[in-house]
Amino acid sequence: MFPRDLFDDSHSLLRRQVAGFLDEEIVGLHRNWSQARYVPRDIWRKAGEAGLLCRSLPAEYGGHGRDFRDSVVIIEELAARRLPGLPTYLQSDIVAPLVQRLGTAAQKQRFLPGLCDGNLLGAMALTEPHSGSDLHAFRSFARRDGDDFVLNGVKTHISNGNSADLIIVAARCDKAILGDQPGFVLLLVKAGRDGISRKAIAKAGMQALDTATITFEDCRVPACNLLGQEGLGFMHLMQSLVAERLVLAVFAQASAETLLRETIAACHARQTSAGTLLDYQHIRFRLADLYSDCSANRAFVDQCITAQLRNRTDPKAACIAKLRCTENLKDIATQALQLRGAAGISEAEGERCVADLVDASVQTIWGGSSEVMRDLIGRGLVNLL
Ligand SMILES: Cc1cc2nc3c(=O)[nH]c(=O)nc-3n(C[C@H](O)[C@H](O)[C@H](O)COP(=O)(O)OP(=O)(O)OC[C@H]3O[C@@H](n4cnc5c(N)ncnc54)[C@H](O)[C@@H]3O)c2cc1C
């Protein structure tokens, strides 16, 4: 890819430290986690100790007072090593910033230090069995009862869902905001409460990533755990989804660059009567298209990261970044398998190619599918006239 001017020496140092930690502590174990579909809880404390969590949070809560670029470095190093089992970005860039932005002073004191040092593992529970893309169709309901909310509903495909200690749950509530339409709440739910049951989900891709269905049955959540304003949860969520889409674009872009580099190397290594696969014009053209898209995406994502540093991420730009980077990743993963011939589905190399393709498919679905991204982008087009 082309040189980037986003980072300084402090980021190079961080990159080396993160790479060292991942290579020594995580890479060797990750395969076992994929097979066992389980990530030991203690690894999150180690990640906290190694400074991989919540780097942009203020030092008073245990953060590092840095900016989003540190997260970008960490996400890129995780993606380059294919380590979906340790989604630090969920903790650092989605859950903790939401608590920091919307939380009361007491909530921040209570939850942020643990999220920073890994003693608390966070999760974000939006998706329900009958409504993933359609957030308006939520059925989970939080009824106000004295000093508590009583939460009922089912959330599914929740990352960190089985082992999380703190789950941010989005649910409908009694409080109407527009006419008589029920509003939403975001609740900070401690996982040990009565009325919560969890069940791991077996997946074909990203097997090391802990995903679960979480059921809430008359689960009492103290009203002091309301995050943000009662009734306005949906609006709070929309702001958080913009950051989430950018984070997922960064992750997909780094994965795409890794896969593309490996695919070019595999084509270069494959001998033919013409020389190597790269001596076939058709293959060079195909790789050139992928490389061109990937390079353009890199420039666009870096521009979005720069905007994010100024808190000026355009919601549409985040959708474009998520759409383009994840779709390019899926195209590259498809070609990575195809251009290896039978080796693309055989032995260890083939196993990795198939896993890459399935994992790439996850990325065009989670955090808002490509169809939903296109829909959101398309809705704003009339404003261009
Ligand atoms: C590994 C993994 C981790 C996840 N982690 C989390 C998490 O931590 N928290 C969480 O809340 N959720 C999580 N999810 C859920 C994820 O966000 C949803 O899967 C996603 O939003 C899609 O919802 P769905 O699966 O219900 O599909 P559906 O919404 O049922 O969609 C099915 C198909 O219809 C298409 N479609 C839907 N609506 C439209 C439309 N308006 N126009 C055109 N096409 C449409 C979709 O693109 C898709 O192709 C995770 C999912 C995965 C796979």
Side-chain angles (χ1 to χ4, degrees):
M1 292 296 135
F2 298 101
R4 305 165 73 185
D5 55 10
L6 199 61
F7 302 115
D8 59 32
D9 289 348
S10 68
H11 301 109
S12 308
L13 178 64
L14 175 65
R15 202 177 279 283
R16 284 197 296 277
Q17 286 169 349
V18 172
F21 172 77
L22 296 178
D23 289 338
E24 281 164 32
E25 302 279 348
I26 308 292
V27 170
L29 297 173
H30 195 271
R31 202 178 162 76
N32 300 345
W33 300 349
S34 297
Q35 279 160 1
R37 297 166 195 263
Y38 169 77
V39 177
R41 180 64 189 78
D42 196 47
I43 213 69
W44 285 94
R45 279 181 275 272
K46 284 192 176 168
E49 270 168 35
L52 263 68
L53 300 178
C54 302
R55 294 193 63 89
S56 56
L57 256 66
E60 63 175 303
Y61 299 120
H64 297 251
R66 302 270 301 173
D67 64 36
F68 181 55
R69 286 175 296 181
D70 279 20
S71 282
V72 171
V73 167
I74 294 166
I75 294 167
E76 288 177 351
E77 293 304 307
L78 285 163
R81 288 169 180 73
R82 298 178 170 85
L83 301 173
L86 193 68
T88 59
Y89 44 87
L90 175 58
Q91 177 105 337
S92 307
D93 305 301
I94 298 171
V95 172
L98 203 55
V99 176
Q100 190 199 2
R101 182 162 62 82
L102 300 173
T104 60
Q107 287 170 345
K108 291 185 208 184
Q109 285 299 344
R110 196 165 150 221
F111 297 120
L112 290 180
L115 291 170
C116 288
D117 64 21
N119 276 309
L120 270 188
L121 180 59
M124 181 85 182
L126 312 182
T127 304
E128 301 188 357
H130 55 277
S131 68
S133 307
D134 187 4
L135 298 180
H136 289 283
F138 280 173
R139 290 185 193 159
S140 297
F141 200 91
R143 174 175 53 84
R144 191 73 187 244
D145 183 28
D147 288 339
D148 291 338
F149 285 95
V150 181
L151 179 61
N152 280 285
V154 181
K155 297 290 182 181
T156 193
H157 302 298
I158 306 307
S159 301
N160 289 348
N162 241 336
S163 40
D165 312 288
L166 178 68
I167 309 162
I168 300 182
V169 181
R172 290 197 171 274
C173 66
D174 302 307
K175 181 148 184 157
I177 39 158
L178 285 175
D180 53 5
Q181 278 280 62
F184 286 82
V185 281
L186 297 179
L187 295 178
L188 291 157
V189 183
K190 290 290 295 287
R193 296 206 149 269
D194 286 345
I196 300 181
S197 54
R198 310 196 257 188
K199 190 168 183 295
I201 298 173
K203 305 189 295 305
M206 295 206 180
Q207 283 146 340
L209 176 65
D210 158 19
T211 45
T213 298
I214 311 178
T215 303
F216 302 93
E217 279 175 298
D218 290 332
C219 173
R220 298 192 84 87
V221 182
C224 64
N225 281 18
L226 171 70
L227 184 62
Q229 286 188 50
E230 193 171 348
L232 296 186
F234 197 78
M235 201 185 76
H236 296 325
L237 212 49
M238 289 303 106
Q239 289 164 340
S240 165
L241 290 180
V242 174
E244 178 173 344
R245 282 165 193 157
L246 178 55
V247 162
L248 295 179
V250 170
F251 186 68
Q253 177 64 20
S255 306
E257 289 176 17
T258 302
L259 253 68
L260 184 56
R261 212 175 302 115
E262 291 173 358
T263 307
I264 295 168
C267 291
H268 185 55
R270 180 69 171 161
Q271 299 295 314
T272 71
S273 58
T276 76
L277 279 181
L278 289 182
D279 291 304
Y280 293 131
Q281 189 183 52
H282 175 77
I283 287 180
R284 286 201 307 275
F285 279 11
R286 206 180 267 190
L287 290 172
D289 282 346
L290 295 172
Y291 174 73
S292 303
D293 283 348
C294 196
S295 302
N297 291 349
R298 158 59 55 221
F300 188 71
V301 170
D302 279 0
Q303 197 185 328
C304 292
I305 294 168
T306 306
Q308 178 73 0
L309 297 176
R310 296 190 217 112
N311 279 327
R312 296 183 67 167
T313 306
D314 179 329
K316 190 153 27 77
C319 291
I320 295 170
K322 161 98 183 16
L323 172 67
R324 286 198 56 114
C325 295
T326 56
E327 287 293 334
N328 177 240
L329 169 63
K330 200 153 78 176
D331 288 347
I332 293 172
T334 304
Q335 291 305 326
L337 191 154
Q338 177 72 18
L339 294 177
R340 281 173 170 86
I345 53 159
S346 310
E347 306 291 350
E349 186 180 9
E351 220 176 274
R352 205 189 59 223
C353 288
V354 172
D356 285 341
L357 185 53
V358 180
D359 290 2
S361 304
V362 170
Q363 300 206 39
T364 58
I365 293 172
W366 70 4
S369 67
S370 290
E371 290 76 12
V372 170
M373 294 302 101
R374 288 191 181 95
D375 190 41
L376 292 171
I377 297 162
R379 276 188 219 177
L381 293 182
V382 73
N383 299 329
L384 298 176
L385 299 177

